[in-house]
Amino acid sequence: MTGDKKLPRAAVLRINKCLRNESDVLDLSGIPLEALPGQLRELTHLRELRLHLTGIPERLSDLTALTHLRLDGELTGLPDSLGGLTALTSLDLHGNRLTEFPEWLGGLTTLKCLYLQGNQLAGLPDSLGGLIALTELILSKNRLTEVPDSLGGLTALKRLYLGINRLTRLPDSLGDLTALTSLILQNNHLAEIPDSLGNLTALRHLFLQNNRLTRLPDSLGDLTALTELYLEGNQLTGLPSSLGNLTALTRLRLESNLLTGLPKPLRRRAKTPR
């Protein structure tokens, strides 16, 4: 995409202001653009850029100083050249129509935050495990049926959002994410969760509501930092007594299961199942 044909006046004014003030932030997110403005090539100092594009961008790879990039506009794909933006620490692609997670994304090893929620992703490549600096990964509202074992390599990850997908299983390697404080898995098709989740001893928030769980592993009793546990809308007939070890719990949701009773230590903390 090249050229400034029919570039909206609002975009011209913002770009000129950015050039004049030598600002390192440019926000064009409210202005639909058919093509990248040619003047962007002069903004090699930019660190933050927000764009609303109606086609796949090409020349963004020239902006090698970028640390924060937001792209929207119902994009269906991304060029491999974006893999050259190796200074990126935040990449926001939420609310597009991406169907594939590009292999080159795994080479952005300085990336700390990756937002891909609200796309149409059906799978993730093993290269995801290359994002070793990630602390936040948001993949909610996609079409994922599984996540790769390589996810366990993201040992800096603190927040992982996988809710509202079609997940049927989780890899054992999820238990290697020992820095996790939030794990969001609601509204999937999970019938079980791996024992390895008991290794996530920093976890404070675990959302498993509206799945197909029939049992929970005893290892969940090792999550002694847990303050919120959401389990409503499953098919649980009982709970492991080890959950009584979760003395930090302030919120436990169990409605809409098949429970006939609760372990005694949980009775005061749980909302009455029905």
Side-chain angles (χ1 to χ4, degrees), residues 119-147:
N119 279 281
Q120 300 173 20
L121 298 172
L124 301 169
D126 287 337
S127 63
L128 176 67
L131 302 178
I132 55 175
L134 270 190
T135 60
E136 187 168 30
L137 176 58
I138 314 297
L139 287 160
S140 308
K141 296 183 180 179
N142 276 284
R143 301 176 180 178
L144 300 173
T145 58
E146 61 181 7
V147 291

PDB file of all heavy atoms in Angstrom, residues 119-147:
ATOM      1  N   ASN A 119     -10.576 -11.837  16.989  1.00  0.00           N
ATOM      2  CA  ASN A 119     -10.238 -12.178  15.610  1.00  0.00           C
ATOM      3  C   ASN A 119     -10.897 -13.520  15.254  1.00  0.00           C
ATOM      4  O   ASN A 119     -11.865 -13.924  15.888  1.00  0.00           O
ATOM      5  CB  ASN A 119      -8.729 -12.215  15.436  1.00  0.00           C
ATOM      6  CG  ASN A 119      -8.141 -10.831  15.238  1.00  0.00           C
ATOM      7  OD1 ASN A 119      -8.200 -10.268  14.151  1.00  0.00           O
ATOM      8  ND2 ASN A 119      -7.561 -10.265  16.298  1.00  0.00           N
ATOM      9  N   GLN A 120     -10.374 -14.201  14.253  1.00  0.00           N
ATOM     10  CA  GLN A 120     -10.941 -15.476  13.803  1.00  0.00           C
ATOM     11  C   GLN A 120      -9.867 -16.560  13.758  1.00  0.00           C
ATOM     12  O   GLN A 120      -9.879 -17.441  12.905  1.00  0.00           O
ATOM     13  CB  GLN A 120     -11.596 -15.300  12.422  1.00  0.00           C
ATOM     14  CG  GLN A 120     -12.721 -14.279  12.420  1.00  0.00           C
ATOM     15  CD  GLN A 120     -13.267 -13.984  11.037  1.00  0.00           C
ATOM     16  OE1 GLN A 120     -13.099 -14.774  10.104  1.00  0.00           O
ATOM     17  NE2 GLN A 120     -13.919 -12.846  10.889  1.00  0.00           N
ATOM     18  N   LEU A 121      -8.953 -16.499  14.711  1.00  0.00           N
ATOM     19  CA  LEU A 121      -7.845 -17.448  14.752  1.00  0.00           C
ATOM     20  C   LEU A 121      -8.345 -18.846  15.109  1.00  0.00           C
ATOM     21  O   LEU A 121      -9.009 -19.039  16.123  1.00  0.00           O
ATOM     22  CB  LEU A 121      -6.813 -17.000  15.773  1.00  0.00           C
ATOM     23  CG  LEU A 121      -6.137 -15.645  15.514  1.00  0.00           C
ATOM     24  CD1 LEU A 121      -5.284 -15.245  16.704  1.00  0.00           C
ATOM     25  CD2 LEU A 121      -5.304 -15.697  14.240  1.00  0.00           C
ATOM     26  N   ALA A 122      -7.977 -19.825  14.284  1.00  0.00           N
ATOM     27  CA  ALA A 122      -8.358 -21.212  14.542  1.00  0.00           C
ATOM     28  C   ALA A 122      -7.206 -22.022  15.114  1.00  0.00           C
ATOM     29  O   ALA A 122      -7.407 -23.125  15.625  1.00  0.00           O
ATOM     30  CB  ALA A 122      -8.858 -21.867  13.256  1.00  0.00           C
ATOM     31  N   GLY A 123      -5.989 -21.492  15.038  1.00  0.00           N
ATOM     32  CA  GLY A 123      -4.829 -22.206  15.544  1.00  0.00           C
ATOM     33  C   GLY A 123      -3.681 -21.255  15.818  1.00  0.00           C
ATOM     34  O   GLY A 123      -3.708 -20.088  15.422  1.00  0.00           O
ATOM     35  N   LEU A 124      -2.670 -21.778  16.505  1.00  0.00           N
ATOM     36  CA  LEU A 124      -1.474 -21.004  16.843  1.00  0.00           C
ATOM     37  C   LEU A 124      -0.250 -21.826  16.485  1.00  0.00           C
ATOM     38  O   LEU A 124      -0.223 -23.036  16.714  1.00  0.00           O
ATOM     39  CB  LEU A 124      -1.454 -20.682  18.342  1.00  0.00           C
ATOM     40  CG  LEU A 124      -2.636 -19.878  18.899  1.00  0.00           C
ATOM     41  CD1 LEU A 124      -2.598 -19.871  20.425  1.00  0.00           C
ATOM     42  CD2 LEU A 124      -2.609 -18.452  18.362  1.00  0.00           C
ATOM     43  N   PRO A 125       0.796 -21.199  15.952  1.00  0.00           N
ATOM     44  CA  PRO A 125       2.004 -21.944  15.569  1.00  0.00           C
ATOM     45  C   PRO A 125       2.915 -22.184  16.772  1.00  0.00           C
ATOM     46  O   PRO A 125       2.829 -21.490  17.794  1.00  0.00           O
ATOM     47  CB  PRO A 125       2.667 -21.009  14.561  1.00  0.00           C
ATOM     48  CG  PRO A 125       2.289 -19.641  15.032  1.00  0.00           C
ATOM     49  CD  PRO A 125       0.894 -19.773  15.587  1.00  0.00           C
ATOM     50  N   ASP A 126       3.804 -23.134  16.636  1.00  0.00           N
ATOM     51  CA  ASP A 126       4.798 -23.390  17.686  1.00  0.00           C
ATOM     52  C   ASP A 126       5.690 -22.179  17.929  1.00  0.00           C
ATOM     53  O   ASP A 126       6.225 -22.015  19.029  1.00  0.00           O
ATOM     54  CB  ASP A 126       5.665 -24.597  17.316  1.00  0.00           C
ATOM     55  CG  ASP A 126       4.918 -25.908  17.439  1.00  0.00           C
ATOM     56  OD1 ASP A 126       3.918 -25.955  18.190  1.00  0.00           O
ATOM     57  OD2 ASP A 126       5.319 -26.881  16.785  1.00  0.00           O
ATOM     58  N   SER A 127       5.818 -21.310  16.909  1.00  0.00           N
ATOM     59  CA  SER A 127       6.690 -20.139  17.053  1.00  0.00           C
ATOM     60  C   SER A 127       6.209 -19.194  18.145  1.00  0.00           C
ATOM     61  O   SER A 127       6.961 -18.332  18.598  1.00  0.00           O
ATOM     62  CB  SER A 127       6.791 -19.381  15.726  1.00  0.00           C
ATOM     63  OG  SER A 127       5.528 -18.864  15.333  1.00  0.00           O
ATOM     64  N   LEU A 128       4.977 -19.358  18.598  1.00  0.00           N
ATOM     65  CA  LEU A 128       4.470 -18.559  19.716  1.00  0.00           C
ATOM     66  C   LEU A 128       5.418 -18.641  20.910  1.00  0.00           C
ATOM     67  O   LEU A 128       5.601 -17.658  21.640  1.00  0.00           O
ATOM     68  CB  LEU A 128       3.077 -19.065  20.123  1.00  0.00           C
ATOM     69  CG  LEU A 128       2.413 -18.415  21.327  1.00  0.00           C
ATOM     70  CD1 LEU A 128       2.058 -16.969  21.034  1.00  0.00           C
ATOM     71  CD2 LEU A 128       1.159 -19.196  21.733  1.00  0.00           C
ATOM     72  N   GLY A 129       6.045 -19.782  21.098  1.00  0.00           N
ATOM     73  CA  GLY A 129       6.940 -19.973  22.229  1.00  0.00           C
ATOM     74  C   GLY A 129       8.192 -19.121  22.178  1.00  0.00           C
ATOM     75  O   GLY A 129       8.929 -19.040  23.160  1.00  0.00           O
ATOM     76  N   GLY A 130       8.428 -18.453  21.048  1.00  0.00           N
ATOM     77  CA  GLY A 130       9.590 -17.585  20.921  1.00  0.00           C
ATOM     78  C   GLY A 130       9.415 -16.228  21.581  1.00  0.00           C
ATOM     79  O   GLY A 130      10.383 -15.477  21.725  1.00  0.00           O
ATOM     80  N   LEU A 131       8.184 -15.900  21.995  1.00  0.00           N
ATOM     81  CA  LEU A 131       7.911 -14.578  22.579  1.00  0.00           C
ATOM     82  C   LEU A 131       8.242 -14.592  24.073  1.00  0.00           C
ATOM     83  O   LEU A 131       7.389 -14.426  24.935  1.00  0.00           O
ATOM     84  CB  LEU A 131       6.442 -14.201  22.347  1.00  0.00           C
ATOM     85  CG  LEU A 131       6.003 -14.161  20.879  1.00  0.00           C
ATOM     86  CD1 LEU A 131       4.521 -13.834  20.770  1.00  0.00           C
ATOM     87  CD2 LEU A 131       6.834 -13.145  20.102  1.00  0.00           C
ATOM     88  N   ILE A 132       9.516 -14.743  24.369  1.00  0.00           N
ATOM     89  CA  ILE A 132       9.951 -15.036  25.731  1.00  0.00           C
ATOM     90  C   ILE A 132       9.825 -13.858  26.692  1.00  0.00           C
ATOM     91  O   ILE A 132       9.909 -14.041  27.907  1.00  0.00           O
ATOM     92  CB  ILE A 132      11.412 -15.537  25.727  1.00  0.00           C
ATOM     93  CG1 ILE A 132      12.326 -14.525  25.019  1.00  0.00           C
ATOM     94  CG2 ILE A 132      11.503 -16.905  25.055  1.00  0.00           C
ATOM     95  CD1 ILE A 132      13.790 -14.891  25.072  1.00  0.00           C
ATOM     96  N   ALA A 133       9.591 -12.642  26.161  1.00  0.00           N
ATOM     97  CA  ALA A 133       9.446 -11.472  27.035  1.00  0.00           C
ATOM     98  C   ALA A 133       7.987 -11.181  27.371  1.00  0.00           C
ATOM     99  O   ALA A 133       7.709 -10.294  28.190  1.00  0.00           O
ATOM    100  CB  ALA A 133      10.075 -10.237  26.395  1.00  0.00           C
ATOM    101  N   LEU A 134       7.049 -11.908  26.767  1.00  0.00           N
ATOM    102  CA  LEU A 134       5.624 -11.620  26.960  1.00  0.00           C
ATOM    103  C   LEU A 134       5.213 -11.703  28.429  1.00  0.00           C
ATOM    104  O   LEU A 134       5.520 -12.677  29.116  1.00  0.00           O
ATOM    105  CB  LEU A 134       4.760 -12.602  26.179  1.00  0.00           C
ATOM    106  CG  LEU A 134       4.343 -12.281  24.752  1.00  0.00           C
ATOM    107  CD1 LEU A 134       3.294 -13.282  24.295  1.00  0.00           C
ATOM    108  CD2 LEU A 134       3.841 -10.860  24.578  1.00  0.00           C
ATOM    109  N   THR A 135       4.494 -10.667  28.867  1.00  0.00           N
ATOM    110  CA  THR A 135       3.881 -10.697  30.195  1.00  0.00           C
ATOM    111  C   THR A 135       2.365 -10.745  30.091  1.00  0.00           C
ATOM    112  O   THR A 135       1.694 -11.131  31.052  1.00  0.00           O
ATOM    113  CB  THR A 135       4.279  -9.471  31.028  1.00  0.00           C
ATOM    114  OG1 THR A 135       3.846  -8.277  30.370  1.00  0.00           O
ATOM    115  CG2 THR A 135       5.793  -9.424  31.228  1.00  0.00           C
ATOM    116  N   GLU A 136       1.820 -10.367  28.935  1.00  0.00           N
ATOM    117  CA  GLU A 136       0.364 -10.372  28.749  1.00  0.00           C
ATOM    118  C   GLU A 136       0.030 -10.858  27.353  1.00  0.00           C
ATOM    119  O   GLU A 136       0.525 -10.325  26.360  1.00  0.00           O
ATOM    120  CB  GLU A 136      -0.207  -8.963  28.977  1.00  0.00           C
ATOM    121  CG  GLU A 136      -1.717  -8.895  28.961  1.00  0.00           C
ATOM    122  CD  GLU A 136      -2.250  -7.566  29.473  1.00  0.00           C
ATOM    123  OE1 GLU A 136      -1.542  -6.544  29.299  1.00  0.00           O
ATOM    124  OE2 GLU A 136      -3.339  -7.535  30.041  1.00  0.00           O
ATOM    125  N   LEU A 137      -0.821 -11.895  27.276  1.00  0.00           N
ATOM    126  CA  LEU A 137      -1.245 -12.470  25.999  1.00  0.00           C
ATOM    127  C   LEU A 137      -2.765 -12.622  26.027  1.00  0.00           C
ATOM    128  O   LEU A 137      -3.311 -13.386  26.826  1.00  0.00           O
ATOM    129  CB  LEU A 137      -0.574 -13.833  25.787  1.00  0.00           C
ATOM    130  CG  LEU A 137      -0.984 -14.615  24.538  1.00  0.00           C
ATOM    131  CD1 LEU A 137      -0.729 -13.815  23.259  1.00  0.00           C
ATOM    132  CD2 LEU A 137      -0.253 -15.955  24.481  1.00  0.00           C
ATOM    133  N   ILE A 138      -3.436 -11.865  25.158  1.00  0.00           N
ATOM    134  CA  ILE A 138      -4.901 -11.852  25.125  1.00  0.00           C
ATOM    135  C   ILE A 138      -5.367 -12.490  23.820  1.00  0.00           C
ATOM    136  O   ILE A 138      -5.150 -11.941  22.736  1.00  0.00           O
ATOM    137  CB  ILE A 138      -5.462 -10.423  25.252  1.00  0.00           C
ATOM    138  CG1 ILE A 138      -4.772  -9.661  26.381  1.00  0.00           C
ATOM    139  CG2 ILE A 138      -6.973 -10.472  25.457  1.00  0.00           C
ATOM    140  CD1 ILE A 138      -4.968 -10.234  27.749  1.00  0.00           C
ATOM    141  N   LEU A 139      -6.011 -13.652  23.919  1.00  0.00           N
ATOM    142  CA  LEU A 139      -6.486 -14.409  22.758  1.00  0.00           C
ATOM    143  C   LEU A 139      -7.971 -14.741  22.864  1.00  0.00           C
ATOM    144  O   LEU A 139      -8.466 -15.643  22.181  1.00  0.00           O
ATOM    145  CB  LEU A 139      -5.672 -15.701  22.627  1.00  0.00           C
ATOM    146  CG  LEU A 139      -4.232 -15.535  22.124  1.00  0.00           C
ATOM    147  CD1 LEU A 139      -3.388 -16.745  22.487  1.00  0.00           C
ATOM    148  CD2 LEU A 139      -4.199 -15.294  20.620  1.00  0.00           C
ATOM    149  N   SER A 140      -8.697 -14.012  23.677  1.00  0.00           N
ATOM    150  CA  SER A 140     -10.124 -14.253  23.865  1.00  0.00           C
ATOM    151  C   SER A 140     -10.902 -14.003  22.568  1.00  0.00           C
ATOM    152  O   SER A 140     -10.449 -13.272  21.687  1.00  0.00           O
ATOM    153  CB  SER A 140     -10.672 -13.341  24.961  1.00  0.00           C
ATOM    154  OG  SER A 140      -9.916 -13.436  26.137  1.00  0.00           O
ATOM    155  N   LYS A 141     -12.063 -14.618  22.464  1.00  0.00           N
ATOM    156  CA  LYS A 141     -12.995 -14.394  21.350  1.00  0.00           C
ATOM    157  C   LYS A 141     -12.365 -14.714  20.003  1.00  0.00           C
ATOM    158  O   LYS A 141     -12.379 -13.910  19.074  1.00  0.00           O
ATOM    159  CB  LYS A 141     -13.522 -12.959  21.366  1.00  0.00           C
ATOM    160  CG  LYS A 141     -14.353 -12.615  22.591  1.00  0.00           C
ATOM    161  CD  LYS A 141     -14.914 -11.211  22.509  1.00  0.00           C
ATOM    162  CE  LYS A 141     -15.741 -10.888  23.741  1.00  0.00           C
ATOM    163  NZ  LYS A 141     -16.288  -9.506  23.705  1.00  0.00           N
ATOM    164  N   ASN A 142     -11.792 -15.919  19.909  1.00  0.00           N
ATOM    165  CA  ASN A 142     -11.312 -16.436  18.643  1.00  0.00           C
ATOM    166  C   ASN A 142     -11.975 -17.792  18.394  1.00  0.00           C
ATOM    167  O   ASN A 142     -13.049 -18.059  18.943  1.00  0.00           O
ATOM    168  CB  ASN A 142      -9.787 -16.525  18.655  1.00  0.00           C
ATOM    169  CG  ASN A 142      -9.127 -15.204  18.305  1.00  0.00           C
ATOM    170  OD1 ASN A 142      -9.086 -14.807  17.146  1.00  0.00           O
ATOM    171  ND2 ASN A 142      -8.601 -14.508  19.311  1.00  0.00           N
ATOM    172  N   ARG A 143     -11.335 -18.645  17.605  1.00  0.00           N
ATOM    173  CA  ARG A 143     -11.908 -19.957  17.268  1.00  0.00           C
ATOM    174  C   ARG A 143     -10.928 -21.078  17.585  1.00  0.00           C
ATOM    175  O   ARG A 143     -10.920 -22.116  16.934  1.00  0.00           O
ATOM    176  CB  ARG A 143     -12.294 -19.987  15.788  1.00  0.00           C
ATOM    177  CG  ARG A 143     -13.315 -18.914  15.406  1.00  0.00           C
ATOM    178  CD  ARG A 143     -13.600 -18.893  13.928  1.00  0.00           C
ATOM    179  NE  ARG A 143     -14.570 -17.860  13.576  1.00  0.00           N
ATOM    180  CZ  ARG A 143     -14.981 -17.589  12.338  1.00  0.00           C
ATOM    181  NH1 ARG A 143     -14.480 -18.284  11.317  1.00  0.00           N
ATOM    182  NH2 ARG A 143     -15.855 -16.636  12.117  1.00  0.00           N
ATOM    183  N   LEU A 144     -10.131 -20.867  18.600  1.00  0.00           N
ATOM    184  CA  LEU A 144      -9.078 -21.815  18.956  1.00  0.00           C
ATOM    185  C   LEU A 144      -9.662 -23.095  19.539  1.00  0.00           C
ATOM    186  O   LEU A 144     -10.510 -23.055  20.427  1.00  0.00           O
ATOM    187  CB  LEU A 144      -8.127 -21.186  19.962  1.00  0.00           C
ATOM    188  CG  LEU A 144      -7.408 -19.912  19.511  1.00  0.00           C
ATOM    189  CD1 LEU A 144      -6.633 -19.303  20.667  1.00  0.00           C
ATOM    190  CD2 LEU A 144      -6.479 -20.202  18.331  1.00  0.00           C
ATOM    191  N   THR A 145      -9.163 -24.249  19.078  1.00  0.00           N
ATOM    192  CA  THR A 145      -9.554 -25.536  19.637  1.00  0.00           C
ATOM    193  C   THR A 145      -8.463 -26.113  20.535  1.00  0.00           C
ATOM    194  O   THR A 145      -8.730 -26.987  21.360  1.00  0.00           O
ATOM    195  CB  THR A 145      -9.884 -26.549  18.533  1.00  0.00           C
ATOM    196  OG1 THR A 145      -8.747 -26.708  17.676  1.00  0.00           O
ATOM    197  CG2 THR A 145     -11.067 -26.068  17.701  1.00  0.00           C
ATOM    198  N   GLU A 146      -7.231 -25.622  20.386  1.00  0.00           N
ATOM    199  CA  GLU A 146      -6.129 -26.034  21.240  1.00  0.00           C
ATOM    200  C   GLU A 146      -5.016 -24.993  21.169  1.00  0.00           C
ATOM    201  O   GLU A 146      -5.024 -24.129  20.291  1.00  0.00           O
ATOM    202  CB  GLU A 146      -5.593 -27.415  20.853  1.00  0.00           C
ATOM    203  CG  GLU A 146      -5.049 -27.500  19.449  1.00  0.00           C
ATOM    204  CD  GLU A 146      -4.551 -28.904  19.134  1.00  0.00           C
ATOM    205  OE1 GLU A 146      -4.753 -29.823  19.943  1.00  0.00           O
ATOM    206  OE2 GLU A 146      -3.931 -29.063  18.058  1.00  0.00           O
ATOM    207  N   VAL A 147      -4.103 -25.073  22.101  1.00  0.00           N
ATOM    208  CA  VAL A 147      -2.925 -24.199  22.082  1.00  0.00           C
ATOM    209  C   VAL A 147      -1.694 -25.097  22.083  1.00  0.00           C
ATOM    210  O   VAL A 147      -1.717 -26.206  22.625  1.00  0.00           O
ATOM    211  CB  VAL A 147      -2.910 -23.229  23.289  1.00  0.00           C
ATOM    212  CG1 VAL A 147      -4.027 -22.210  23.162  1.00  0.00           C
ATOM    213  CG2 VAL A 147      -3.017 -23.975  24.597  1.00  0.00           C
TER     214      VAL A 147
END
